[in-house]
Amino acid sequence: MTLRSAWTRARSRLERASIDDASLESEIILRHALRIDRAAFFAALEEHPADGALKLADSLVERRDQGEPLPYILGRREFYGLDFLVTPAVLIPRQETELIVDAILDIAAGRPALTVADVGTGSGAIAVAAAVNLPSSRVYATDISDAALRVAATNCRMHAVEDRVELRHGDLLHALDVPVDLIASNPPYVMTGEIEGLGREIGHEPVQALDGGPDGLDVIRRLFDQAPAALNPGGAMLVEIDPRRLRAATSLAARAFPNGRVSHRLDLAGRPRVVTVAA
């Protein structure tokens, strides 16, 4: 079988599974199985790949056909221009979460030696991206999941920031023993009753990283309750939210920081995505 024929077969299967970009995803899976880049892929379309590589590609296409997210199949995801290991132990980093890193860097423009807490770090994407871009910073990355922290530790080593990112096991800010200048978090904020309706791909991600309780605010509520004691004077806080919960989330922030300035940032779609607090 030529590579072109294998691509056609994989693409057809993913199209039947209603994968949005079946052509690109089937190409990516084949390139991953063959360990070749895109230029080599198109140069080899009339060649006959080894049977072992084709069998591996078939098994990966089968997993995608069953709804497993592509980043878990590949074992990696790009976030803020960096490659990250991802496994089913962690939430897949999303583009909208890059907004938090943008905000961290904006705040750090006048204070490059920030201490930052990435709360609910998961893969460590926010913590590592902040540390890579702020070489004078100190980052604490907390998570209640030991499995997630193991993934984060690998990503810290991959990007050579393990000396500046300190992993802490514990519930939200209780994992810290020192106050910080900046708290950043992409907490669980999906309403419990909506999780099943998000699609079969979401079903592969850890529920603990998604489920925000009946109103989607359970974890955010606790995070804001804990924040004043964990933040240095003049500090700041950034929390990703469900855009539909902006009013409720900003109310929680204002109650926690009655003298602070509460605002929000819009994502690329123009939706309120990150609540910001300047304490």
Side-chain angles (χ1 to χ4, degrees), residues 215 217-228 237 247-262 275-277:
D215 64 355
L217 294 167
D218 279 4
V219 180
I220 291 174
R221 192 175 286 111
R222 291 195 296 115
L223 183 59
F224 278 123
D225 284 345
Q226 296 172 20
M237 190 169 181
R247 181 175 296 180
T250 53
S251 293
L252 291 171
R255 185 177 68 186
F257 295 94
N259 297 317
R261 296 192 308 276
V262 178
V275 168
T276 68
V277 179

Side-chain angles (χ1 to χ4, degrees), residues 120-234:
T121 194
S123 65
I126 293 173
V128 170
V132 167
N133 286 280
L134 296 172
S136 298
S137 66
R138 180 76 182 174
V139 183
Y140 300 93
T142 82
D143 208 289
I144 200 168
S145 165
D146 285 320
L149 289 173
R150 287 193 290 272
V151 174
T154 299
N155 285 320
C156 288
R157 291 191 296 270
M158 282 174 53
H159 295 288
V161 294
E162 66 269 34
D163 60 329
R164 292 186 293 108
V165 178
E166 186 173 330
L167 303 177
R168 296 286 187 92
H169 178 264
D171 181 44
L172 301 179
L173 290 163
H174 290 317
L176 298 180
D177 54 12
V178 292
V180 296
D181 300 317
L182 176 60
I183 296 168
S185 182
N186 175 20
Y189 59 71
V190 180
M191 289 186 279
T192 304
E194 294 186 345
I195 292 177
E196 287 189 8
L198 293 178
R200 58 180 183 162
E201 290 191 23
I202 295 294
H204 290 265
E205 298 190 72
V207 173
Q208 188 177 42
L210 294 165
D211 192 347
D215 64 355
L217 294 167
D218 279 4
V219 180
I220 291 174
R221 192 175 286 111
R222 291 195 296 115
L223 183 59
F224 278 123
D225 284 345
Q226 296 172 20
L231 201 60
N232 282 325

Side-chain angles (χ1 to χ4, degrees), residues 7-26:
W7 186 20
T8 298
R9 182 175 67 179
R11 181 173 62 242
S12 296
R13 181 165 187 179
L14 296 188
E15 285 173 346
R16 291 194 298 272
S18 300
I19 301 298
D20 286 341
D21 203 340
S23 181
L24 179 59
E25 291 206 13
S26 55

Side-chain angles (χ1 to χ4, degrees), residues 232-278:
N232 282 325
M237 190 169 181
L238 307 164
V239 180
E240 185 171 327
I241 63 164
D242 179 338
R244 299 172 301 172
R245 314 301 288 168
L246 175 64
R247 181 175 296 180
T250 53
S251 293
L252 291 171
R255 185 177 68 186
F257 295 94
N259 297 317
R261 296 192 308 276
V262 178
S263 59
H264 64 274
R265 290 191 172 217
L266 305 178
D267 61 22
L268 293 175
R271 298 168 299 190
R273 180 62 64 178
V274 174
V275 168
T276 68
V277 179

